[in-house]
Amino acid sequence: GYGGGIFLTGNGNYNAQSEKLDLHGMKILDNSASNSGQSLFVAISKLKEWCRYGINGDYVKGDYDDTLSNDNELEGIPINQNSFISLTRTQIENATKPLEYYWSLPYQDIWHVQSGSVQSITGNDQQWCGNIDEPCETIQYALERISVRKGGLSTTDIYTENKIGINELGYELLNPIQFKPTSSQTTKINIMKQLNGTSFEIQGQSEIKILKNNEISKENGKQGWISTVDGLQLGI
């Protein structure tokens, strides 16, 4: 089954700010499930919001340790009970994610972006963007979120390297970009294909499309469509 200790589901739109679901005191020890969620499995439509409420999933994870615990202890799908019941086991397996996925930094610290007319997933500049299934819409915003989410209260730290992943369906660049250490808060930016260097990297290459739209003035005073100043290193 699902959820060796707790299986939680429902059809309502849970409001995390109500704090009615609070698992601070949950202990995960010697639980097991034949399918997913060795200790906890959740299928509610507002799963992402619940996981992201508070600090690092503290309303969800009990004594789960982000570093030491197995990520299959807490798993789930952001769908309601009726939708969950209608899925096959294979569909459930494909859609299930560790709950830590929703509050942690993007996998391998690669912050993904996507924009354009052909999109199966819409890029959106929102505070939790960066994963391949929740890409940011612009590179500039992704760099801002790296600073905020990694720096916490300190948003002035300069990082050694920031990695930007271009989602498989590509990225459309509408205006020239100039990177510099003070605004990008890094001394090196690597722009790469989706999940590059991981066991999940895509075959082939991702694509950046430069859309001039016959507006030559966009290039006035620019050193190119993607440029750097003040010693920032750029890898593409």
Side-chain angles (χ1 to χ4, degrees):
Y2 298 92
I6 299 173
F7 175 74
L8 177 63
T9 188
N11 286 315
N13 288 320
Y14 174 66
N15 179 5
Q17 293 182 346
S18 72
E19 300 183 3
K20 291 181 179 179
L21 293 178
D22 184 351
L23 301 184
H24 273 92
M26 180 177 66
K27 305 295 183 183
I28 53 174
L29 178 65
D30 296 332
N31 298 310
S32 64
S34 57
N35 293 322
S36 301
Q38 298 306 298
S39 289
L40 170 69
F41 190 92
V42 185
I44 59 175
S45 59
K46 297 295 183 179
L47 176 60
K48 295 179 185 179
E49 291 80 357
W50 184 38
C51 288
R52 291 166 176 171
Y53 183 72
I55 301 173
N56 294 329
D58 57 354
Y59 279 82
V60 177
K61 64 185 181 182
D63 65 351
Y64 174 92
D65 187 284
D66 291 18
T67 302
L68 301 177
S69 299
N70 293 322
D71 63 7
N72 66 352
E73 290 287 351
L74 314 178
E75 295 183 302
I77 308 177
I79 57 175
N80 64 27
Q81 181 180 8
N82 290 338
S83 298
F84 179 80
I85 293 173
S86 69
L87 297 180
T88 66
R89 177 178 294 184
T90 299
Q91 289 173 323
I92 292 172
E93 289 177 357
N94 291 338
T96 294
K97 285 185 172 62
L99 299 191
E100 184 181 344
Y101 176 84
Y102 295 117
W103 69 74
S104 61
L105 298 177
Y107 183 64
Q108 295 298 310
D109 204 21
I110 304 174
W111 299 69
H112 287 83
V113 297
Q114 179 176 299
S115 67
S117 56
V118 180
Q119 299 187 59
S120 57
I121 300 171
T122 302
N124 184 17
D125 286 342
Q126 50 89 10
Q127 63 176 325
W128 294 99
C129 67
N131 284 312
I132 60 172
D133 56 347
E134 289 183 282
C136 301
E137 185 177 11
T138 64
I139 294 175
Q140 297 94 321
Y141 189 83
L143 291 170
E144 290 178 14
R145 294 314 300 169
I146 293 173
S147 171
V148 172
R149 291 188 61 193
K150 293 176 70 172
L153 296 177
S154 174
T155 58
T156 58
D157 294 339
I158 301 295
Y159 297 99
T160 303
E161 178 186 19
N162 286 346
K163 294 183 284 188
I164 300 295
I166 304 299
N167 262 24
E168 186 172 14
L169 292 180
Y171 183 77
E172 293 185 354
L173 189 59
L174 302 178
N175 294 288
I177 302 177
Q178 185 179 78
F179 299 115
K180 55 184 178 180
T182 52
S183 59
S184 302
Q185 295 183 233
T186 183
T187 56
K188 182 178 182 180
I189 296 174
N190 266 328
I191 299 177
M192 59 191 67
K193 68 179 181 179
Q194 180 175 309
L195 292 174
N196 183 60
T198 75
S199 58
F200 304 106
E201 72 175 45
I202 61 170
Q203 298 295 317
Q205 299 296 324
S206 296
E207 183 178 53
I208 298 178
K209 296 180 181 179
I210 295 176
L211 300 182
K212 296 183 180 181
N213 294 327
N214 295 319
E215 298 178 39
I216 300 176
S217 61
K218 288 183 177 182
E219 300 179 358
N220 291 345
K222 307 296 183 182
Q223 300 177 23
W225 275 76
I226 302 177
S227 61
T228 67
V229 295
D230 299 336
L232 187 144
Q233 300 178 54
L234 177 65
I236 299 180

